[in-house]
């Protein structure tokens, strides 16, 4: 992992279905740093039937959050990979105050700091509509409502946490994918 000032370390924050994953993948092409989605990593583990997958499957299907300690192991290992030397776009992590602390610790150990937190906001009814179209296993309406409840309780407080630190870049995600992509690129332009 690179030292402060020589890369582009970005966190994507936002409610479930706000387009964090969609935008992280697009921006990775624009910026040449990897998009790292904890949701995708967990879904892959479930699909492979690995030990990790067996531990998280039911939690994910219920729309709950996987435990902070387990997620810390997953993220620390991934961020130690050589491909993060110039930065990363972290989608879906942190999701709790404890995870935000863990990320800070991981970055500190590598003499790095977070450069931006992109907060993609979308109205709740649009999130439910998108989930209905996507039909992933955790996109059934009752599960989506639960994921939104968990988001409001555990993750939303991170918006203020990062705003206070001057890292928050607020993006209106209720627009065309390409428009949202340009808005994020513009917000990151100065450093990435
Ligand atoms: P995630 O994989 O992070 O799921 P998400 O929040 O729904 O994804 P995202 O916001 O990226 O939406 P997307 O771009 O796909 O997490 C799934 C689960 O994994 C969690 O519930 C939890 O159980 C577990 N988990 C993951 N990270 C964890 C952590 N750190 N701690 C604990 N547990 C964790 O977009 C959604 C849909 O909208 C797509 O179909 C897309 O095509 C569409 N879309 C995107 N942008 C659009 C736009 N501008 N207009 C119209 N549609 C758009």
């Amino acid at each position: 992992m690179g030292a402060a000032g020589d890369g582009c370390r970005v966190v994507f924050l936002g409610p479930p279905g706000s387009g964090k994953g969609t935008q992280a993948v697009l921006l990775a092409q624009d910026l040449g740093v990897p998009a790292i989605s904890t949701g995708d990593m967990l879904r892959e583990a479930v699909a492979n039937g690995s030990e990790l997958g067996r531990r998280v499957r039911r939690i994910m299907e219920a729309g709950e959050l996987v435990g902070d300690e387990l997620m810390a192991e997953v993220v620390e290992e991934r961020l130690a990979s050589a491909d993060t030397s110039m930065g990363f776009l972290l989608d879906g992590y942190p999701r709790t105050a404890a995870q935000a602390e863990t990320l800070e610790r991981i970055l500190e150990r590598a003499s790095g700091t977070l450069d931006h937190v992109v907060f993609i906001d979308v109205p709740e009814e649009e999130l439910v509509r998108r989930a209905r179209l996507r039909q992933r296993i955790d996109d059934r309406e009752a599960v989506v409502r639960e994921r939104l409840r968990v988001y409001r309780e555990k993750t939303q407080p991170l918006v203020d946490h990062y705003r206070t630190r001057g890292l928050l870049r607020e993006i209106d995600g209720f627009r065309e994918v390409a428009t949202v992509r340009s808005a994020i690129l513009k917000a990151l332009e100065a450093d990435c």
Side-chain angles (χ1 to χ4, degrees):
M1 201 185 303
D6 68 352
C8 175
R9 285 165 292 267
V10 180
V11 157
F12 281 77
L13 201 61
S18 54
K20 302 183 294 292
T22 303
Q23 293 298 331
V25 167
L26 293 171
L27 271 289
Q29 295 166 17
D30 295 326
L31 303 171
V33 293
I36 299 174
S37 158
T38 47
D40 283 352
M41 289 168 74
L42 296 173
R43 274 186 292 278
E44 201 180 306
V46 171
N48 294 337
S50 69
E51 161 73 17
L52 172 65
R54 281 195 296 275
R55 288 171 72 181
V56 304
R57 185 174 63 85
R58 284 213 196 90
I59 302 173
M60 293 181 72
E61 283 174 6
E64 304 299 330
L65 292 182
V66 173
D68 290 334
E69 285 179 22
L70 186 52
M71 290 310 301
E73 286 174 37
V74 171
V75 167
E76 180 146 30
E77 191 185 326
R78 180 63 186 87
L79 290 183
S81 300
D83 67 344
T84 65
S85 63
M86 292 308 290
F88 52 77
L89 307 176
L90 193 48
D91 148 31
Y93 192 94
R95 265 177 152 94
T96 65
Q99 292 184 8
E101 273 175 38
T102 299
L103 180 60
E104 233 159 84
R105 251 194 345 263
I106 295 172
L107 293 176
E108 257 169 38
R109 277 204 289 272
S111 313
T113 49
L114 214 49
D115 297 303
H116 302 278
V117 174
V118 173
F119 170 48
I120 307 181
D121 205 11
V122 172
E124 182 154 333
E125 285 319 306
E126 169 67 4
L127 298 171
V128 175
R129 189 192 71 83
R130 289 182 188 179
R132 215 176 280 134
L133 292 174
R134 184 167 65 173
Q135 291 192 318
R136 210 167 62 190
I137 184 84
D138 57 352
D139 282 338
R140 281 176 294 119
E141 182 149 349
V143 180
V144 170
R145 298 275 180 200
E146 174 61 11
R147 287 165 62 208
L148 285 166
R149 190 194 65 74
V150 171
Y151 167 79
R152 279 193 297 270
E153 185 188 320
K154 305 263 175 68
T155 310
Q156 208 163 29
L158 295 182
V159 171
D160 279 340
H161 171 86
Y162 286 122
R163 185 182 285 122
T164 307
R165 282 163 180 70
L167 292 174
L168 202 74
R169 314 285 172 253
E170 295 190 54
I171 305 290
D172 173 6
F174 193 17
R175 297 179 289 178
E176 295 280 323
V177 170
T179 311
V180 178
R181 177 187 192 169
S182 309
I184 299 174
L185 256 184
K186 196 164 165 227
L188 302 183
E189 207 164 52
D191 311 278
C192 287

